[in-house]
Amino acid sequence: MRTHHCGDLNASVSGKEVVLAGWVDTVRISGKIGFLLLRDRSGIVQVFLDKKLAEANQYLKPQSVVLVKGLVNKRPENQVKKEMKTGAVEVAAASVEVLNMAETPLPIEIAEETTTGLDKRLDYRFLDVRRQRVTDIFTVRSKIYSTTVAFFEKEGFINIQTPKLTASGVESGAEEFKIPYFGKTASLAQSPQIYKQMFVVSGLEKVYELGTVFRAEKSHTTRHLTEFTGVDFEMGFIRDEHDVMTIVEKYFVYLITEIKKSCREELARLGVDLHVPKTIPKLSMHEARNILKKLGKIVPENEDLDADGEKMIAHYIKEKLQSDFVFMLDYPWEKRPFYHMRPEKDKKVTKSFDLVYNGVEIATGAQREHRLQVLEAQAMEKGIDLTLMPFYRDIFRYGCPPHGGVGLGLDRITEQMLQLGNIREAILLPRDPERLTP
Ligand code: AMO
């Protein structure tokens, strides 16, 4: 249909006939002539309409879809607006064909500085994405996704896809969505935890999955969704949880280096300056509690850090070590699931960690307990009878290597990387306790 995209036009194609197609950003008819700003995924170009075309298109509505044929001309230097990506040239239209007229009024304001609130924008997300900022966010997210896959492939992990319809999970019963399943009750997978362990034990040794995770959490926060994209990996033959953290550190060095390189324009428009971590500092929960105590916040021994505590620690680490990331180690046993390993010397903690990025937890990981007797006893302590989960129990019976892994949230990574302030900005169609449409 088209010979060029709007964003491809520059002085080098000046004098050429082109065919463009896209959405009408604005149309301005003044006196006998007109100007139409045409937008496609790559950018915006100004189209000049002579008297005949200006008259014919005086009722053209913004957001209509048009096909423009015309000649590329260099614009006079004094007319070139710096902020316009293709500002150096314009197209003198020979014809404008309206492929589809948009209705008016538009339900949301499609402008860079939109006054439409987030909820309404999400109701009309397909229109919201027509804003450059939103296209930029999802271009970066797409790159985060593909770079994540590239990283795990490069590191020799094998991609797995595991069921999302399950009998039950291992995270926490309260967080499962139960659905009818041919006379039985199924749960939507709240994590691929069981399966990623299963396929390490199977002999695949190193596995990863990017998949949908469901959590029936009635949380109305800026960082919780009921459906999100999990980045899970699991690896066998580890010495301890630090081997797993090494992979996480390598991943973020690779990811941020790649995003800085391939999304330069998007990051510039979004006003984001990314820092590639060198090493990620590690802080035990014991140290974190002491730091927070000095800052006036008391966190009891058996408690997790809340969102506020994470932010305070992140701020402290940023000031002291200039790092956007921090690993938090040794989470209390009371707050962690039964499958986390506990160190021999201190059964009150676990060989687990969280990764905090710009003040928000984006990953949880641990060395898993692979000795069946210990695992069964740990499950019992948490009130879970492993004999009721035979397919999980079995994976520890026939040769199970020491192993560990991590669950990261792709939506949270995107949100924190781009500093969007709300996880809903980082996902096309968020699901939360109030939102099930569109
Ligand atoms: P956890 O429950 O901490 O760990 O989840 C791992 C990561 O997933 C993301 N996340 C969420 N993102 C959006 N909305 C939510 N409601 C939400 N809940 C979690 C976060 C979090 O760090 N099986 C373990 C992981 C493991 O040990 O391998 C687990 O699921 O980024």
Side-chain angles (χ1 to χ4, degrees):
M1 186 176 255
R2 23 157 100 104
T3 58
H4 291 75
H5 280 93
C6 300
D8 297 341
L9 301 182
N10 53 40
S12 74
V13 281
S14 168
K16 274 207 172 132
E17 291 278 350
V18 293
V19 182
L20 305 171
W23 290 266
V24 174
D25 202 66
T26 53
V27 55
R28 203 159 34 87
I29 309 287
S30 61
K32 294 198 169 108
I33 55 165
F35 292 96
L36 183 162
L37 290 189
L38 183 67
R39 192 194 66 248
D40 65 18
R41 204 181 80 177
S42 65
I44 291 184
V45 72
Q46 176 162 287
V47 176
F48 171 76
L49 306 176
D50 62 13
K51 183 166 180 277
K52 203 170 109 233
L53 285 174
E55 261 173 30
N57 288 289
Q58 56 185 310
Y59 300 114
L60 188 58
K61 306 271 196 300
Q63 302 305 323
S64 296
V65 174
V66 294
L67 187 80
V68 173
K69 288 185 186 159
L71 189 71
V72 181
N73 288 323
K74 265 195 203 154
R75 298 176 70 196
E77 210 52 49
N78 63 356
Q79 277 183 26
V80 175
K81 278 193 198 152
K82 266 220 178 94
E83 73 275 14
M84 276 171 74
K85 202 175 157 193
T86 55
V89 294
E90 70 174 10
V91 173
S95 69
V96 176
E97 185 187 342
V98 181
L99 299 181
N100 192 254
M101 187 73 97
E103 286 183 25
T104 49
L106 294 165
I108 64 165
E109 187 193 8
I110 305 175
E112 282 317 298
E113 299 300 326
T114 186
T115 54
T116 310
L118 177 61
D119 248 352
K120 191 86 185 279
R121 282 173 41 220
L122 292 174
D123 287 342
Y124 291 94
R125 191 55 143 173
F126 73 99
L127 290 178
D128 191 40
V129 175
R130 291 189 190 171
R131 296 165 55 221
Q132 183 69 54
R133 175 180 168 76
V134 184
T135 298
D136 285 339
I137 292 169
F138 290 99
T139 307
V140 177
R141 182 180 161 126
S142 169
K143 198 71 197 171
I144 293 174
Y145 188 100
S146 58
T147 307
T148 301
V149 171
F151 172 78
F152 284 107
E153 292 290 325
K154 177 176 83 64
E155 291 293 318
F157 284 75
I158 291 180
N159 180 255
I160 56 172
Q161 283 94 44
T162 64
K164 303 304 159 207
L165 283 169
T166 65
S168 70
V170 290
E171 302 299 337
S172 147
E175 289 180 2
E176 287 179 19
F177 282 114
K178 302 279 190 195
I179 53 164
Y181 194 75
F182 306 115
K184 296 183 210 145
T185 301
S187 294
L188 294 179
Q190 45 170 196
S191 143
Q193 186 62 41
I194 293 177
Y195 302 115
K196 60 181 182 170
Q197 289 187 249
M198 181 183 282
F199 291 105
V200 163
V201 176
S202 76
L204 294 184
E205 295 196 17
K206 288 159 75 169
V207 298
Y208 76 100
E209 175 167 14
L210 273 69
T212 307
V213 173
F214 301 93
R215 298 278 167 100
E217 281 175 279
K218 213 160 185 198
S219 302
H220 295 85
T221 74
T222 54
R223 55 195 209 154
H224 286 93
L225 298 166
T226 49
E227 180 184 304
F228 64 92
T229 300
V231 176
D232 276 88
F233 76 88
E234 196 75 20
M235 53 200 275
F237 301 99
I238 59 168
R239 244 178 317 117
D240 56 30
E241 68 278 23
H242 294 273
D243 284 353
V244 183
M245 279 182 259
T246 302
I247 294 291
V248 176
E249 187 176 88
K250 241 176 149 177
Y251 164 63
F252 279 103
V253 170
Y254 183 80
L255 177 68
I256 296 181
T257 305
E258 192 54 36
I259 296 295
K260 268 177 89 92
K261 209 164 47 185
S262 56
C263 298
R264 202 184 301 272
E265 284 179 14
E266 287 81 3
L267 293 176
R269 278 195 295 265
L270 292 167
V272 174
D273 187 17
L274 293 179
H275 309 286
V276 180
K278 283 196 186 73
T279 53
I280 299 182
K282 293 175 179 174
L283 197 68
S284 73
M285 282 293 282
H286 179 71
E287 290 168 303
R289 273 189 208 98
N290 285 341
I291 291 166
L292 289 175
K293 197 168 160 194
K294 283 193 194 128
L295 295 171
K297 185 177 175 75
I298 304 294
V299 181
E301 278 290 305
N302 53 357
E303 277 299 321
D304 234 342
L305 282 191
D306 59 10
D308 223 31
E310 279 170 5
K311 288 217 155 43
M312 288 166 78
I313 288 293
H315 186 70
Y316 175 89
I317 292 288
K318 179 81 182 166
E319 293 237 302
K320 280 258 178 255
L321 304 170
Q322 289 76 50
S323 174
D324 297 335
F325 291 88
V326 54
F327 279 121
M328 308 288 305
L329 317 183
D330 309 331
Y331 274 81
W333 162 247
E334 262 188 56
K335 292 287 161 191
R336 290 306 221 203
F338 72 92
Y339 57 82
H340 283 194
M341 187 179 265
R342 293 192 272 186
E344 292 306 326
K345 59 180 186 335
D346 185 0
K347 298 287 177 201
K348 287 208 289 292
V349 298
T350 50
K351 287 160 75 74
S352 72
F353 57 88
D354 272 7
L355 178 64
V356 175
Y357 180 28
N358 288 329
V360 168
E361 173 218 309
I362 55 162
T364 296
Q367 175 163 12
R368 320 304 184 188
E369 181 50 70
H370 64 285
R371 298 160 297 182
L372 183 56
Q373 277 185 341
V374 184
L375 187 67
E376 281 180 320
Q378 289 195 174
M380 273 302 175
E381 268 189 62
K382 298 266 183 193
I384 299 167
D385 183 357
L386 274 197
T387 55
L388 300 177
M389 298 167 72
F391 58 91
Y392 184 60
R393 189 176 173 274
D394 281 352
I395 69 180
F396 303 94
R397 295 175 64 200
Y398 309 106
C400 180
H403 64 281
V406 180
L408 302 109
L410 190 86
D411 317 86
R412 282 200 193 169
I413 294 172
T414 310
E415 186 221 345
Q416 288 307 102
M417 189 181 277
L418 301 180
Q419 292 289 285
L420 302 175
N422 190 328
I423 196 164
R424 292 163 186 78
E425 298 279 5
I427 175 167
L428 280 171
L429 298 170
R431 290 290 177 262
D432 62 31
E434 310 308 324
R435 184 172 282 280
L436 211 45
T437 57

